[in-house]
Amino acid sequence: MTEDGRAPVEDADVCVVGAGPAGALTAYTLASRGYRVVVLEAGERFDRGDDERRMEESLRPAHDAGELWNMETGDGRDAYTSSGERYYPLNAARVKGVGGSTLHWQGMVMRLHEKDFEMETRHGVGRDWPISYDDLQPYYVCAEKEMGVAGGDDNPYAPPRSQPFPLPAFEPSYSDSLFSDACDEVGLEMHSVPNARNPEPYDGRGVCVGYGTCQPVCPSGAKYTADVHVAKAEDEGARVIDRAQVERLETDGEGDAVESAVYTTPSGTYRQDADAFVVACGGVETPRLLLLSRSRDHPDGLANSSGAVGRYFTEHLFVGAGGTVDQPTRQNHIGFITSESHALYDGEDPTPLGTKLEFLNYAGPSPAIEAMNADEWGDALLEDLRGSYGNHVSMGGLVEQVPTEKNWVTLDKTTTDNLGNPVPDVRWSVADREAEAIRAANTVQNDVLGAMDADVGWTVGPEDTGPAYHHMCTTRMGHHDDESVVDHRTKAHDLENLYISSSSVFVTAGAMNPTLSIAALALKTADHIDDDI
Amino acid sequence: MELTRRDALVALGVAGTATGGAYAVSRLEDDDTAEAVVERLSHVAEAVYPSEVDVTHDFLETYVVGRVEERDGYLEGVTDALDSLDSYTRNLRHEGFGDAPPDARDSLLRYMGVDEAEPAPDGTEAERVRYYVVNELQYALYTTPVGGKLVGIENPVGYPGGLNSYRREP
């Protein structure tokens, strides 16, 4: 073993690349079944005892968001380019480290709806998944239990459930009660939100205490983060090596199976051999690693005989509107939402694309942040704060994107990272049909705000929509090896022992935050690996 | 409205914890530099806090003790920033910031450009005063219920105020 403990594990059964939610759950499941598992993580293992400091720095204007979880290493580790029609802010959208992007996520955990698996058959949109909602439902149950999902049975639009949520839903906010009257008036049904945070103690983690900084950091630990399952995997005997950048996967002499992961750490470059490999690096680094792993046997990149690796990069589009009303709305007490609406999700007018609406509890300025950015202080500042806080309302939402070849992740061979490897180039755009769905969502949002007699101050529509930081579909699942990268068991068509555990295997995106589906697929992947090896 | 030692512990994020208990018994008798920081911060607080806030020595002492124990470089940073503020004041008025009349301190900070300075721990003198002095004080006030209630929010961001306030009617 090397001085810093980052040498390979001997006789590993499974090598997992990436310690985000997908890698963590896959590793934990397999380790708990007795397999010798090693996890290679490019980022560091953060000291969660520093979360109070992170919270403060997230509120104080001197500190960039990228500093918080060290996504500005300064050495080019996370360099990327964005050459599509719309700029894609990749490093704001991810965290590299033990826990992955759940370290800074919001923690919303909805299941996809049944239609999401059948968009081609039902609506001629995209491709059908090779699995159905029914196939994934048992894994959703397990994923909710593992993550500790707080939810209610009051959503009439939700897909069928075989088990109740493991935790009760958070009670609706006072702000929700104002929206409720308005939604009644416009005929829009509200309901609770599945949250991956604790309304009561669960799995050794404490209850939410209302810091209000869920995104980017929850100092109480009430919000689920995937380092929970990394620790559980280690308890089951898995070995986790941080600051281990996997540069490529190498195949055996026949090119039929992955033999080793070549990774570089601060102490040197190593080869990790294993019987099976799981790439769990998210929707951008997963295709990048496969493309970086091209060889004589796989000249277009590993697992890429279909040409689909990196193609169909798909996001969720933010849609929102907000303003002020003539009464107190009590915003910014908490940093998460307690009510949403799936009422538009399964409709077809004007498009069949999914739309999810949210009622925000953090509309308008937060006095502490405003005070530290103000040009005033003393009584003048207090007067300004009293004038600006207290009567804002906002709605947010997500609109589904349709996978298209036009949006893709490829290698930018003109730019290299700290190890000399080409960086990912993210090409992203918004299609006309998606703009139409955004406009339709804006109309409903403005109807609700109108019913509240709100003075609408801003709308995020098709022109200024942005990504929700959900990277999907870049190594999609499918029955056929000429149009998809992995099969219905998330094993690469082209290789005997390569699995992908990631939102990159989604076939279509729906409009639900993806992490619960990532977790469910990770548990499913682990089952298949267990069967295979 | 009075800011007490308890409020300082809240601002430090340690109220009710074992560490908070340690801060609660900490004193600065043996640390002249830190005690001087408390005194000098109180002069700035008189300028940048609303007139209805009464800043107690206990509040500032506890906050400074917590910061010194928690953050490497804090004592040096705040001392340097306060020295810069004093030096700037002496050039203008031949007296230190704390010796200037209370009603002149607001103007002195503005002359120095602290009001419009971007806070930066490694920035210009005005930027460091903004970061280590003014924004430290604003953070200590407005992330606590005392500061929040001045504005109408009893559980401001950064304060672990529980799961009742967000549901409460105005």
Side-chain angles (χ1 to χ4, degrees), chain A residues 56 60 171 209 330 386, chain B residues 51 67 131 150 154 162 166:
Chain A
E56 180 181 332
R60 294 185 62 160
E171 294 291 326
V209 292
R330 300 197 37 87
R386 285 172 171 162
Chain B
S51 53
R67 280 301 204 214
Y131 182 85
L150 289 172
E154 64 273 32
Y166 82 91

Side-chain angles (χ1 to χ4, degrees), chain A residues 120-253:
Chain A
E120 182 180 16
T121 297
R122 293 194 190 197
H123 303 296
V125 170
R127 289 277 188 277
D128 289 348
W129 292 47
I131 59 174
S132 68
Y133 175 81
D134 289 341
D135 294 326
L136 202 54
Q137 190 184 178
Y139 295 103
Y140 274 135
V141 172
C142 295
E144 288 169 344
K145 185 178 169 200
E146 291 296 338
M147 301 173 86
V149 176
D153 60 1
D154 60 332
N155 180 356
Y157 310 101
R161 302 185 58 84
S162 60
Q163 300 279 331
F165 286 101
L167 289 167
F170 284 87
E171 294 291 326
S173 65
Y174 174 72
S175 173
D176 291 337
S177 72
L178 303 178
F179 277 109
S180 178
D181 294 340
C183 285
D184 283 348
E185 194 174 321
V186 303
L188 185 74
E189 188 144 6
M190 296 172 70
H191 48 78
S192 62
V193 181
N195 270 294
R197 55 177 56 74
N198 294 348
E200 56 191 49
Y202 184 81
D203 197 25
R205 293 182 291 118
V207 65
C208 171
V209 292
Y211 275 108
T213 59
C214 312
Q215 196 175 19
V217 57
C218 169
S220 74
K223 180 184 80 172
Y224 173 81
T225 50
D227 50 338
V228 165
H229 280 94
V230 172
K232 290 186 180 194
E234 290 177 303
D235 288 346
E236 296 289 348
R239 169 100 175 285
V240 178
I241 303 175
D242 74 339
R243 302 177 70 190
Q245 290 176 255
V246 177
E247 298 195 65
R248 63 187 181 276
L249 302 175
E250 293 187 346
T251 52
D252 60 11

